[in-house]
Amino acid sequence: MNRKLSIIILVLTLLSAGCNPFSKTLPGGLVKSVNGGVDWQFANTIKDNATVSLANYNISKLAFDPKNQQTIFAGTYTAGLFKSEDAGATWTNILSKIFVYDVAISPLDSKIIYAAGFFADHGRVLKTTDGGASWTQIYNEASINDAVRAMALNPQDPNQIMIGTATGSLIKSADGGLSWQLVKSFNDRINKLVWQNGGIYLVLQQQGLFKSTGFADTFTELTLSLSKIFDSKNYSYNSKTVSYFNQVFVDYTSPELIYLTTDQGLYKTVDEGKTWVLQGLPVKPEKSVARAIAISRVSSNIVYASVEATVYKSVDGGGSWQTQSINTAGFVNFILVDPVLPQIVYAGIYTAPQ
């Protein structure tokens, strides 16, 4: 058979099977590593639905069931909330339609789940008490186009809830969402809320990182010193200023140890923000936007971070970094480390402009 004719037949066969060999589209969704980030495999199979894949959706948040790390929740920006009961092998959609920006599970009862996001032009928070079989809306933002982007529960009292909106409204509930109270208007997008070690940590997109030790009564800014940063890679002070902040990860046992991702890279403090050190990630200067960050529960020295589609891992608290690129057209938006086995890691992909 003529060689050119053989190639044409092969291409037509692939196209008829729904596979375009010349397409630049690469999968997204969720990837998993079982060897500490050396290799990554996509884990996007939706149970009982062969025509749809989690690869079609952008991942906003990943979370474990507090009582069982085999059960994982994946929030998506366009398709709701998914749940896996087999460590990511298969997924089931337990909440559809709403754009999910954040998810929180009660540490006392994993059937109680909160989903924060956006639906029908309004920010909303939904709650289930039966593991996702049924949902009730517990918060509806009055203003239009103001998504609820972040949420956190008090680990000691899960009825205490904090939520943050795209326009900077910080709102709290002391009764599991029955009533709400405006705490403060920051006039800046709230990207992240973390409630840990008795403190509430708040990441504002432009203003930086704040902390409250009460029930969000007053906040202290922890990023004032970012105007003068020591660059651990070049052993000099970096004059670049941070324009926006993405995510924060506070150590599980020591609140003084914090990692913060920004448009200028990954920063670390060991004195709760008095001084910050720019971590020497091996990246090109034009590719410095760090997004996802996670610390292992087993050891604070095991750190995972991301820039674009590359995952960086350190086993010495940021002294050195190993890298592994993921074959995707998007970027790694969230990282989740197994609380018992830190070599098992999940990463959520975002493949469209945010």
Side-chain angles (χ1 to χ4, degrees), residues 325-339:
S325 296
I326 296 173
N327 189 31
T328 176
F331 56 80
V332 175
N333 193 44
F334 200 90
I335 296 175
L336 185 68
V337 183
D338 190 290

Side-chain angles (χ1 to χ4, degrees), residues 47-121:
K47 195 173 183 179
D48 301 326
N49 193 335
T51 62
V52 181
S53 169
L54 205 62
N56 299 327
Y57 308 125
N58 296 314
I59 304 297
S60 56
K61 174 72 178 286
L62 299 170
F64 286 113
D65 182 322
K67 300 183 182 299
N68 180 9
Q69 69 265 30
Q70 296 296 305
T71 300
I72 310 165
F73 298 89
T76 69
Y77 288 106
T78 55
L81 181 64
F82 290 81
K83 177 181 179 180
S84 173
E85 297 180 298
D86 49 18
T90 58
W91 297 88
T92 301
N93 184 248
I94 62 172
L95 176 63
S96 60
K97 297 182 180 179
I98 182 173
F99 291 21
V100 174
Y101 285 90
D102 207 346
V103 58
I105 304 98
S106 170
L108 303 182
D109 184 355
S110 56
K111 290 184 178 180
I112 300 177
I113 307 166
Y114 299 87
F118 187 74
F119 177 71
D121 298 329

Side-chain angles (χ1 to χ4, degrees), residues 170 184-186 202 224 252 280 288 315 328:
L170 183 66
K184 185 178 177 64
S185 295
F186 287 94
L202 170 77
L224 284 171
Y252 291 103
S288 60
V315 295
T328 176

Side-chain angles (χ1 to χ4, degrees), residues 85-347:
E85 297 180 298
D86 49 18
T90 58
W91 297 88
T92 301
N93 184 248
I94 62 172
L95 176 63
S96 60
K97 297 182 180 179
I98 182 173
F99 291 21
V100 174
Y101 285 90
D102 207 346
V103 58
I105 304 98
S106 170
L108 303 182
D109 184 355
S110 56
K111 290 184 178 180
I112 300 177
I113 307 166
Y114 299 87
F118 187 74
F119 177 71
D121 298 329
H122 290 271
R124 302 174 192 266
V125 178
L126 303 183
K127 178 181 180 180
T128 178
T129 58
D130 53 18
S134 61
W135 293 84
T136 302
Q137 179 177 285
I138 61 171
Y139 180 81
N140 179 22
E141 173 59 39
S143 56
I144 297 176
N145 296 327
D146 192 10
V148 179
R149 295 190 60 93
M151 174 173 51
L153 308 181
N154 184 348
Q156 306 304 318
D157 181 3
N159 282 322
Q160 293 186 343
I161 310 169
M162 302 292 305
I163 62 173
T165 73
T167 61
S169 296
L170 183 66
I171 304 159
K172 67 181 181 181
S173 172
D175 50 19
L178 294 176
S179 61
W180 297 89
Q181 176 186 351
L182 177 65
V183 176
K184 185 178 177 64
S185 295
F186 287 94
N187 297 316
D188 188 8
R189 191 173 89 176
I190 298 176
N191 277 344
K192 187 77 172 178
L193 280 167
V194 175
W195 204 323
Q196 195 163 285
N197 303 323
I200 301 170
Y201 298 84
L202 170 77
V203 179
L204 299 174
Q205 185 178 40
Q206 297 179 345
Q207 297 178 41
L209 179 64
F210 292 76
K211 179 187 178 182
S212 171
T213 53
F215 191 15
D217 300 318
T218 58
F219 280 87
T220 302
E221 186 175 354
L222 302 183
T223 46
L224 284 171
S225 62
L226 273 178
S227 59
K228 188 177 183 181
I229 298 300
F230 186 76
D231 187 335
S232 63
K233 184 177 181 181
N234 298 312
Y235 296 98
S236 62
Y237 282 96
N238 191 341
S239 60
K240 291 183 179 179
T241 57
V242 174
S243 297
Y244 61 87
F245 301 80
N246 292 320
Q247 297 182 26
V248 65
F249 210 103
V250 184
D251 187 66
Y252 291 103
T253 57
S254 173
E256 291 80 17
L257 175 57
I258 304 172
Y259 287 88
L260 187 63
T261 60
T262 77
D263 65 325
Q264 296 297 330
L266 174 67
Y267 294 93
K268 173 184 177 181
T269 178
V270 295
D271 53 17
E272 204 170 36
K274 294 181 178 65
T275 58
W276 290 89
V277 175
L278 178 64
Q279 300 299 285
L281 297 179
V283 298
K284 296 179 180 179
E286 68 273 14
K287 297 180 179 180
S288 60
V289 179
R291 297 188 186 273
I293 178 67
I295 306 173
S296 168
R297 281 186 178 270
V298 175
S299 171
S300 300
N301 286 324
I302 302 176
V303 184
Y304 291 87
S306 73
V307 175
E308 294 192 340
T310 299
V311 175
Y312 298 83
K313 178 188 177 183
S314 176
V315 295
D316 55 9
S320 60
W321 297 90
Q322 308 162 17
T323 65
Q324 184 60 52
S325 296
I326 296 173
N327 189 31
T328 176
F331 56 80
V332 175
N333 193 44
F334 200 90
I335 296 175
L336 185 68
V337 183
D338 190 290
V340 179
L341 303 171
Q343 69 270 25
I344 299 178
V345 191
Y346 303 85

